[in-house]
Amino acid sequence: MSELTLLGLCGSLRAASLNRKLMLAAADRFGPAQLVEGDLNLPLYNGDLEDQGMPASVQRLSDQIRVADAVVVVTPEYNKGLSGVLKNALDWVSRTKPGPWPDKPVAVMSAAAGRAGGERAQLMLRSCLSPFRPRLLSHEFHLGAAANEFDAEGNLTSERYDASLTTQMQALRNEVVLLRKS
């Protein structure tokens, strides 16, 4: 099998965010692949701006989704929902033609301060993604009390979380393999 491309979409713009650390840990557990990090630092969606032509940054993100073998979407939980940055990116990409999401293997996950690990944000994210018809994995991964779960090098420290993340990423890889066989 040729090298796979895994696209990581992190709903936090902070370079040292816990969600970015989770995205990198997920990519590591996915196995051999080129990780491409999508840039979600996009202008706010505005129909007038769209009428002037699709922003190059939005088209680039849509193209990255389209050519990726699989996508990992990681969201923080802000005020019991997904981040505005991530929602804005989804709204913009939904305006590109053709849509890049149908049948794309996608894993969603979240890292948050609370015990539920961003479960509400992830539920909202799944709702936002469903109209695009991706191959959304049913396996969920919520990293609770996330600030306590990484060491100084950004490695996941809990064997329980590590095993669950590995299981999710193996399931994502399996979806890619199934698609390539069909």
Side-chain angles (χ1 to χ4, degrees), residues 119-133:
E119 183 174 9
R120 292 169 292 204
Q122 201 173 123
L123 178 63
M124 185 183 284
L125 174 58
R126 288 174 175 279
S127 293
C128 291
L129 285 168
S130 67
F132 308 142
R133 299 182 327 276

Side-chain angles (χ1 to χ4, degrees), residues 29-30 137 163 165-175:
R29 279 135 190 95
F30 183 77
L137 292 185
L165 183 60
T166 299
T167 298
Q168 186 184 37
M169 291 298 93
Q170 287 174 347
L172 185 61
R173 181 175 276 281
N174 290 343
E175 281 295 311

Side-chain angles (χ1 to χ4, degrees), residues 59-137:
Q59 191 60 56
R60 184 177 321 106
L61 180 60
S62 181
D63 292 345
Q64 288 174 328
I65 295 167
R66 184 174 296 102
V67 301
D69 293 293
V71 181
V72 174
V73 185
V74 188
T75 184
E77 186 169 280
Y78 295 159
N79 302 311
K80 301 183 183 183
L82 73 155
S83 70
V85 166
L86 184 52
K87 178 66 168 87
N88 183 61
L90 294 175
D91 289 343
W92 264 120
V93 169
S94 76
R95 308 297 295 167
T96 62
K97 304 295 182 236
W101 292 107
D103 293 321
K104 182 69 58 181
V106 176
V108 298
M109 58 188 64
S110 49
R115 289 186 315 227
E119 183 174 9
R120 292 169 292 204
Q122 201 173 123
L123 178 63
M124 185 183 284
L125 174 58
R126 288 174 175 279
S127 293
C128 291
L129 285 168
S130 67
F132 308 142
R133 299 182 327 276
R135 293 174 81 106
L136 199 53
L137 292 185

